[in-house]
Amino acid sequence: MASTAGAAVPGVEPPRIHPLKEFSMPVVRVSWFEGKDHAQKQKVAADITESIARNTATDPNYIYVIFEDVKPADWAGAGKLFGEPSLTP
């Protein structure tokens, strides 16, 4: 028996989906000083995911959060590094 999945039905238009909606895959990058533990990152990731899902109707399974832990010596503001350089190579 041949499959009819996805076959057009005469007189019935398929639902219109915004072309980008089905490919929505938000990626949020959080850059902060190193030192946050797993539980802190988990809470922040859950909060960010919930907010994006609620405000954009994006499926939470397609929302990604990437944490970038930065050493204070590698981050500058107002032209000055926040930390001291590391003594280990």
Side-chain angles (χ1 to χ4, degrees):
M1 176 178 212
S3 171
T4 59
V9 177
V12 177
E13 285 197 39
R16 296 189 184 266
I17 299 174
H18 186 280
L20 297 180
K21 175 116 175 119
E22 63 185 276
F23 299 107
S24 179
M25 188 180 78
V27 177
V28 177
R29 292 185 180 271
V30 178
S31 297
W32 56 12
F33 289 149
E34 63 186 354
K36 311 302 186 289
D37 64 29
H38 181 83
Q40 290 171 312
K41 290 179 181 182
Q42 180 60 56
K43 175 71 171 123
V44 170
D47 287 350
I48 289 170
T49 300
E50 187 276 329
S51 179
I52 291 173
R54 178 173 30 87
N55 288 295
T56 67
T58 300
D59 182 335
N61 290 311
Y62 298 103
I63 299 170
Y64 298 90
V65 179
I66 299 171
F67 294 102
E68 299 172 324
D69 295 332
V70 180
K71 295 176 185 171
D74 293 332
W75 194 313
K80 298 184 182 192
L81 290 172
F82 286 107
E84 297 297 320
S86 174
L87 298 177
T88 57

